[in-house]
Amino acid sequence: MSVKGCCFSAAFLVASACCTAQTVDAVAVSGGSAVESQAKPSGGTPPAGQAGDPFWAAVAPRKECRAKLEVRSGSNMPFVEAEVNGVKCNLLLDTGATHTTFDISFVKKNMPDAELVPVMLMADSNVEGAPRYMRVGSMKIGEAEFSDFGAMALDISHLHSSIGAKVDGILGMSTLGRVPILFSLGSAEMVFVPGKEVLDGFGPLIKRSLSDPMSILLPVELGGHSFEILVDSGSSMTFLSRDTGWPTTGEEANIPAVDINGSVGIKPFVGEKGVLPVGGGIEITPLVVSEPMNRIGSNVLKAYDMLVAGRFVCFRPSNTR
């Protein structure tokens, strides 16, 4: 079986930035502040009724901020147009990436004065290159503006041809994870949400695993198997490891796979259609692989709206499904 589109995931872990910078930052968003609960707010307070509510672990913006997505046909991969320090760029929206990362050639061309600080990677990082840490003064995404935050710079030029689109950077969870946010690939938009009324129509709250707080990892119990699955909009396909016990049809799939380093060789089998037991009735037909790569990709996410706020995630069928 041949599956159109490529698989990509840019997830990587950073232990610390050498010498000067820290990789945990407050992120201010115009229209109110949006910062991590541990960080000092740069202005504003949680809207009434949200203070102390464990669902809203991050401070919500005072008003709704929307941004349009371009969801590419074939791969279903979402892109968003942004303006970084006054320069327009095209970013891959990747909930599977721990850190927002810019192509180092884009940084050197458009931000020549940026200080690029070497970073030390975690032992289990999947990055083979040499990322650099940098500060970003401002980044506008639709109606929202992020200011004074940290990001990574890395050579990701191979993604241009692999994905078939201009990729100036990857918008990851180090930026997106700071505020309550609604992702809707089906409606081609994301919304920084101000209030709990957005929960209307959503399924049950799913508590994220804290084994990696920078990722959207959901705990799964399946036929005696316990595992975690990554919600990864930067992967065009949905994958489960053979160790999860998910049944296959026995049919091989042939897909090109790409990660942050370049091409990757995998030999998947087509899984049977079923409901993933994480809450919200998420229906999947995964590719089953021998590698430990459990992830919900954009081919499934396009059928659901997903709300991420602090430690919790919930889903509802997209009205475009």
Side-chain angles (χ1 to χ4, degrees):
M1 177 181 180
S2 178
V3 181
K4 291 184 178 180
C6 65
C7 163
F8 169 75
S9 180
F12 63 95
L13 303 174
V14 176
S16 63
C18 299
C19 304
T20 58
Q22 295 181 344
T23 59
V24 178
D25 311 284
V27 180
V29 178
S30 61
S33 72
V35 299
E36 279 197 323
S37 56
Q38 298 91 338
K40 181 181 179 181
S42 58
T45 57
Q50 291 179 16
D53 186 334
F55 180 82
W56 297 105
V59 179
R62 289 198 184 95
K63 67 177 184 180
E64 186 176 87
C65 298
R66 294 178 175 269
K68 285 293 182 184
L69 303 177
E70 177 197 355
V71 182
R72 295 184 63 83
S73 60
S75 70
N76 298 308
M77 299 179 79
F79 289 83
V80 63
E81 186 176 283
E83 189 175 300
V84 178
N85 291 349
V87 180
K88 288 187 177 181
C89 59
N90 196 41
L91 305 180
L92 172 65
L93 174 61
D94 189 355
T95 60
T98 57
H99 285 72
T100 291
T101 304
F102 295 98
D103 188 359
I104 196 163
S105 61
F106 172 83
V107 173
K108 289 180 177 180
K109 177 182 177 181
N110 297 291
M111 292 175 270
D113 296 329
E115 181 184 7
L116 300 177
V117 182
V119 298
M120 182 170 56
L121 297 175
M122 298 283 283
D124 57 350
S125 170
N126 70 333
V127 177
E128 296 173 0
R132 299 289 187 266
Y133 177 86
M134 59 179 285
R135 301 295 301 181
V136 178
S138 68
M139 179 169 65
K140 294 181 180 179
I141 303 174
E143 300 170 338
E145 181 174 359
F146 294 82
S147 61
D148 190 27
F149 65 96
M152 298 294 159
L154 184 69
D155 180 12
I156 56 174
S157 56
H158 60 277
L159 298 182
H160 300 293
S161 57
S162 301
I163 294 178
K166 178 188 176 187
V167 185
D168 295 313
I170 299 162
L171 185 59
M173 292 305 295
S174 61
T175 303
L176 296 172
R178 309 308 175 102
V179 296
I181 186 169
L182 172 65
F183 298 95
S184 180
L185 272 61
S187 299
E189 70 172 356
M190 62 178 176
V191 186
F192 303 96
V193 296
K196 209 166 184 177
E197 63 275 4
V198 78
L199 289 175
D200 290 348
F202 277 89
L205 296 181
I206 306 166
K207 186 178 289 188
R208 291 164 53 184
S209 169
L210 292 183
S211 61
D212 178 7
M214 294 291 288
S215 300
I216 307 176
L217 284 169
L218 307 182
V220 182
E221 294 286 339
L222 177 66
H225 298 272
S226 299
F227 58 94
E228 295 175 340
I229 190 164
L230 177 69
V231 179
D232 188 358
S233 65
S235 175
S236 62
M237 307 301 295
T238 295
F239 291 89
L240 283 177
S241 170
R242 191 174 300 160
D243 294 341
T244 65
W246 193 277
T248 75
T249 64
E251 187 179 5
E252 273 193 75
N254 180 25
I255 64 167
V258 180
D259 69 3
I260 193 72
N261 305 303
S263 297
V264 177
I266 58 175
K267 295 181 178 179
F269 286 84
V270 179
E272 292 185 358
K273 187 176 182 179
V275 175
L276 188 67
V278 294
I282 300 174
E283 195 173 79
I284 64 171
T285 305
L287 297 177
V288 180
V289 294
S290 56
E291 294 81 359
M293 52 185 298
N294 302 322
R295 60 195 60 187
I296 302 172
S298 57
N299 66 321
V300 168
L301 293 176
K302 68 179 181 179
Y304 298 90
D305 297 338
M306 176 178 68
L307 178 65
V308 181
R311 288 190 60 191
F312 294 90
V313 183
C314 49
F315 296 88
R316 70 182 177 196
S318 172
N319 58 16
T320 61
R321 190 176 181 182

